[in-house]
Amino acid sequence: MSCGCEDKPWRNYYRYYDTPDGCDLAKKILVTSRYGTIAGMIFATYDVLLFSHAIGIVPVLKRYAMHVVPLALMGATFTVVSHAALQARQRDDQYNYFLGGFACGPILASYLRSKHAILLGGLALGTAGMIKKVAVTNGYTIFPTIQSHFGSITAWRHNYTLTNDPLDELRHSCGTKQKKCN
């Protein structure tokens, strides 16, 4: 497998599939941990505001840690186990992702406080990992991006289909308004 440079779109952040599997393990761990951290922050905020009603900085931080740490750890575990399976098996297929998802089962069981989640959660996460790998390999999109009608939230301000564009006059006159001669 090649970890060489391909033509990538320029961005100031790294995505999981910017490099092939087996390359840039540390960056991939940070990406999946970031996803888990964001999900944990969202769940913790709902928990603190709607369910536990924790009062004080220490109880609030405990509730946030209770959600953020396991979910971030699940992301890192998925990446490390799928990478180790790739290196051990020397095959880049969906079974590596299944093993990575299945390894997250015990963490999910401790997060949910349910012994059934060790097997059932591991199978569910492993199956989700397999589906994601097949989708990435074949070019499918599981969750497509939804474009609004005009393309952005403020595009309606720049829609000049029924009126003349006010900048057209300035573009054709080099920025100065011309006097009309009679």
Side-chain angles (χ1 to χ4, degrees), residues 55-106:
I55 298 173
I57 190 74
V58 174
V60 169
L61 289 177
K62 283 182 181 179
R63 298 304 286 187
Y64 269 86
M66 186 183 84
H67 292 283
V68 171
V69 171
L71 293 176
L73 189 61
M74 283 173 42
T77 302
F78 169 80
T79 304
V80 169
V81 171
S82 64
H83 180 78
L86 173 72
Q87 296 301 323
R89 296 179 62 233
Q90 293 295 318
R91 294 177 62 190
D92 186 17
D93 58 1
Q94 66 269 17
Y95 297 116
N96 299 334
Y97 276 39
F98 177 79
L99 292 173
F102 191 76
C104 295

Side-chain angles (χ1 to χ4, degrees), residues 13 26 33 40 52 58 69 75 79 81 94 99 102 112 115-116 124 126 134 150 156 166 175 178 181:
Y13 58 93
S33 296
S52 67
V58 174
V69 171
T79 304
V81 171
Q94 66 269 17
L99 292 173
F102 191 76
L112 297 176
K115 293 178 185 172
H116 298 291
V134 169
F150 290 112
W156 61 273
Q178 295 178 353
C181 298

Side-chain angles (χ1 to χ4, degrees), residues 37-56:
T37 302
I38 291 169
M41 295 291 277
I42 292 169
F43 292 156
T45 302
Y46 279 119
D47 180 25
V48 168
L49 293 177
L50 300 177
F51 299 111
S52 67
H53 303 291
I55 298 173

Side-chain angles (χ1 to χ4, degrees), residues 156-174:
W156 61 273
R157 295 181 186 187
H158 309 294
N159 184 8
Y160 297 109
T161 55
L162 297 177
T163 60
N164 293 330
D165 188 357
L167 294 178
D168 276 346
E169 184 178 324
L170 294 175
R171 284 189 195 120
H172 298 295
S173 61
C174 297

